[in-house]
């Protein structure tokens, strides 16, 4: 039996960008429905001009991805400007059950 073709979606994300946050919800729905046919890759493009701390969140999400919890971590941070500091993000990582040593190394 022939394997179904994979569709690769490439995107860019910024936690403070409303369009980026809203599109993430749509992509999550598509992945739940067509997950075996889709591959979604993205890069974080923090808007440092309007949010200098966005790079901290982007680095934390990548560190969480290395433990297979990146998308959930992204969703937790989205729209929560109060979490855009290193101390709050590390606390959230601990609450998520991420391996702190690995997280710290990757962060």
């Amino acid at each position: 039996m022939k394997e179904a073709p994979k569709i690769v979606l490439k995107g860019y994300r910024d936690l403070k960008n409303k369009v980026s946050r809203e599109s993430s919800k749509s992509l999550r729905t598509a992945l739940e429905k067509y997950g075996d046919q889709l591959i979604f890759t993205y890069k974080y493009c923090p808007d440092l001009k309007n949010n200098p701390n966005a790079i901290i969140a982007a680095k934390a999400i990548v560190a969480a991805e290395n433990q297979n919890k990146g998308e959930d971590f992204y969703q937790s941070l989205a729209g929560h400007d109060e979490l855009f500091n290193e101390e709050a993000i590390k606390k959230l990582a601990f609450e998520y059950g991420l391996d702190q040593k690995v997280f710290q190394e990757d962060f």
Side-chain angles (χ1 to χ4, degrees), residues 24-72:
S24 286
K25 292 176 187 175
S26 298
L27 286 168
R28 180 175 245 178
T29 300
L31 285 170
E32 288 171 2
K33 187 172 182 178
Y34 304 106
D36 58 339
Q37 299 170 31
L38 295 176
I39 298 171
F40 178 48
T41 63
Y42 47 85
K43 295 196 180 267
Y44 292 98
C45 296
D47 179 2
L48 300 178
K49 180 180 176 185
N50 294 313
N51 183 11
N53 291 329
I55 193 73
I56 295 169
K59 287 170 58 176
I61 294 166
V62 171
E65 284 175 351
N66 292 341
Q67 296 185 45
N68 297 316
K69 295 188 179 182
E71 183 61 28
D72 290 335

Side-chain angles (χ1 to χ4, degrees), residues 56-57 76-78 80-89 92:
I56 295 169
S76 295
L77 291 174
H80 295 281
D81 295 349
E82 71 278 5
L83 296 177
F84 281 59
N85 67 70
E86 193 168 333
E87 183 179 324
I89 285 176
L92 181 64

